[in-house]
Amino acid sequence: MIQRDVCIVGAGPAGLTTALFLAKNGIKSTVVEKATFPRDKICGDAFSGKVSWVLRKLDLDFEAEIHKEKFQLASWGVKFFGTKNNELKVPFKLNYDAQTDKAPGFIASRLDFDNYLFEKAKANDLIEIIENTNLTNFARNKNGVLASTKDNSFQIESKIIVGANGAYSKLAKELLGLEVKDDSNSLGLRTYYKNVKNLDQEGYIELHFLEDLLPGYFWIFPMKNGMANVGAGIRTDLMRKNKINLKKAFQKILDSHPEISKRFEGAELVDDIKLFGLPLGSQKRKLSSDNVILLGDAAALIDPFTGEGIGNAMISGMLAAENIEICIKENDFSESKLISYDEKIYKRLGKELQLSKQMQELSRFPWLFNFVVNKARKNKELQEVISCMFESVDVRKKLSNPMFYLRILFS
Ligand SMILES: Cc1cc2nc3c(=O)[nH]c(=O)nc-3n(C[C@H](O)[C@H](O)[C@H](O)COP(=O)(O)OP(=O)(O)OC[C@H]3O[C@@H](n4cnc5c(N)ncnc54)[C@H](O)[C@@H]3O)c2cc1C
């Protein structure tokens, strides 16, 4: 058995961000990861401005480096398609110059991005990484938490265990009782294609809101070298209620959607079709207790409307590191010390998660969705409001208020 102060379970964006922020403040940690890097993670591969913001906080060079990496494609905005294929093109930033400005978002395979963070962590003397180790048993004891593999061949005891092991986290369930119900969960499907027609030249990601999937969507995200990340997501309760088979629904879109199918003529599938869960931050949950703290997907922090989770995972990693530092200084890993992590998370993300939940509910109505898309196509002010929604919580508040739609109805 090994004994450490801090054991981080999972080397995804949440876990690695925690380790890197701790190291920045001179604190050692041990990251235990079940895979061997580089490893894939089923994802849409779209990184928002939030990710760049955390990278900048971590190290100014990291952000600059990522934006120069050959594996990423700059992304300047999003195209929404209503159920009638009505398109609304929304830049992430108003009046940008793609030649001279820095793009707010980027698209990169998780294989590459996660490996970039992994290499940064590996090169850091304060971070110990143990790969190929699947921790499955977790038990509190007088010293903290004892975690081990199924056959007990590896055991680690730590004063604090950081649950950064993503969706379906056994650690979160066993040590904190965290459960994600079907109405707070989505199922996502992802694959990669080559030679999809009409990919956006400025890396605009495409969200197609199709009736069968609402409030989820079908997506096409352009990538480097003519590749595209293509997928679909649907809320688990609605999938069950409407007896939808996501793989079949996805194939049907590719084969017979009047517009989308034309763009896939001659396109080449370059990966298997894979499915994975998205635990949504649709409700407030308990994220810490004695000797335990949860992050990212293990804490169910994915944006319920957009499905974005990488940025929130990294923010939770950053905030967790702040709290762990205090615990170490005071040698107190009790719930009373860790509770301020929950408070910080909900202060930083609570309002936007709540508003996204409301927007998710509104987008279940195709007529309302199409109405907003059609109005915004003609209304510059509304376009600007939607554009700012990616950066400003107050703007989301506007968009989630039914009175706002009444007002634009008469505009
Ligand atoms: C289909 C799909 C599309 C998505 N698209 C986007 C998108 O475009 N943009 C976006 O921002 N978000 C997207 N998300 C969400 C995003 O992928 C997650 O929010 C993000 O990966 C969360 O990071 P994390 O570090 O919490 O968890 P993860 O990235 O899942 O990392 C967890 C790590 O823990 C390891 N692990 C798991 N169990 C154990 C164990 N028992 N012992 C040791 N190690 C373990 C795993 O191998 C993994 O490396 C998507 C999700 C899905 C499913």
Side-chain angles (χ1 to χ4, degrees), residues 9-14 32-34 39 41-46 110 133-135 164-166 188-189 219 221 276-278 296-297 302 307-310 313:
V9 186
V32 183
E33 164 60 49
K34 76 173 174 191
R39 64 100 181 89
K41 156 76 179 82
I42 301 165
C43 187
D45 301 335
R110 289 289 299 275
T133 303
N134 186 359
L135 291 175
N165 53 336
L189 174 158
W219 71 78
F221 295 168
F276 205 67
L278 292 93
D297 282 10
I302 296 183
E308 184 201 340
I310 306 164

Side-chain angles (χ1 to χ4, degrees), residues 111-130:
L111 189 92
D112 289 324
F113 177 82
D114 289 18
N115 199 49
Y116 170 88
L117 279 187
F118 182 83
E119 289 298 331
K120 293 288 176 200
K122 215 168 119 185
N124 195 311
D125 289 343
L126 295 176
I127 303 174
E128 174 188 28
I129 302 187
I130 301 169

Side-chain angles (χ1 to χ4, degrees), residues 118-311:
F118 182 83
E119 289 298 331
K120 293 288 176 200
K122 215 168 119 185
N124 195 311
D125 289 343
L126 295 176
I127 303 174
E128 174 188 28
I129 302 187
I130 301 169
E131 292 176 87
N132 198 20
T133 303
N134 186 359
L135 291 175
T136 56
N137 309 324
F138 306 95
R140 281 200 182 78
N141 63 20
K142 63 178 180 359
N143 299 321
V145 174
L146 177 68
S148 57
T149 50
K150 199 171 173 195
D151 62 359
N152 280 324
S153 59
F154 176 86
Q155 296 185 316
I156 179 166
E157 188 183 73
S158 57
K159 292 181 182 166
I160 184 160
I161 192 159
V162 180
N165 53 336
Y168 315 111
S169 168
K170 196 169 169 227
L171 186 162
K173 195 170 173 194
E174 289 191 358
L175 295 179
L176 257 147
L178 186 137
E179 297 230 28
V180 185
K181 300 214 172 80
D182 281 355
D183 62 353
S184 294
N185 213 350
S186 281
L187 183 66
L189 174 158
R190 181 220 67 190
T191 191
Y192 291 107
Y193 269 90
K194 222 157 80 180
N195 302 329
V196 178
K197 294 190 182 88
N198 300 331
L199 293 178
D200 190 87
Q201 294 303 305
E202 291 188 341
Y204 275 61
I205 59 173
E206 294 180 28
L207 309 183
H208 296 257
F209 289 83
L210 308 175
E211 254 172 71
D212 284 352
L213 299 176
L214 286 177
Y217 53 79
F218 171 90
W219 71 78
I220 305 174
F221 295 168
M223 303 182 80
K224 265 280 155 82
N225 305 323
M227 297 272 289
N229 179 315
V230 184
I234 183 164
R235 225 171 67 191
T236 313
D237 58 329
L238 301 173
M239 182 181 77
R240 291 196 205 287
K241 186 173 154 221
N242 301 324
K243 298 192 170 48
I244 292 173
N245 176 318
L246 189 57
K247 272 192 181 175
K248 284 189 181 153
F250 179 76
Q251 200 53 53
K252 192 172 148 206
I253 296 164
L254 295 180
D255 293 341
S256 55
H257 184 281
E259 311 301 327
I260 295 172
S261 62
K262 285 187 211 144
R263 295 177 58 194
F264 282 81
E265 280 167 12
E268 188 188 334
L269 184 71
V270 289
D271 191 23
D272 295 338
I273 290 176
K274 293 176 184 156
L275 297 162
F276 205 67
L278 292 93
L280 309 174
S282 312
Q283 67 190 79
K284 208 169 166 180
R285 298 179 171 93
K286 192 166 156 49
L287 306 179
S288 63
S289 81
D290 291 343
N291 314 91
V292 185
I293 193 162
L294 301 179
L295 320 174
D297 282 10
L301 290 176
I302 296 183
D303 186 295
F305 179 62
T306 62
E308 184 201 340
I310 306 164

Side-chain angles (χ1 to χ4, degrees), residues 18 65 101 127 139 215 296 339 398:
T18 314
E65 273 171 30
D101 294 346
I127 303 174
I339 190 75
K398 227 181 201 177

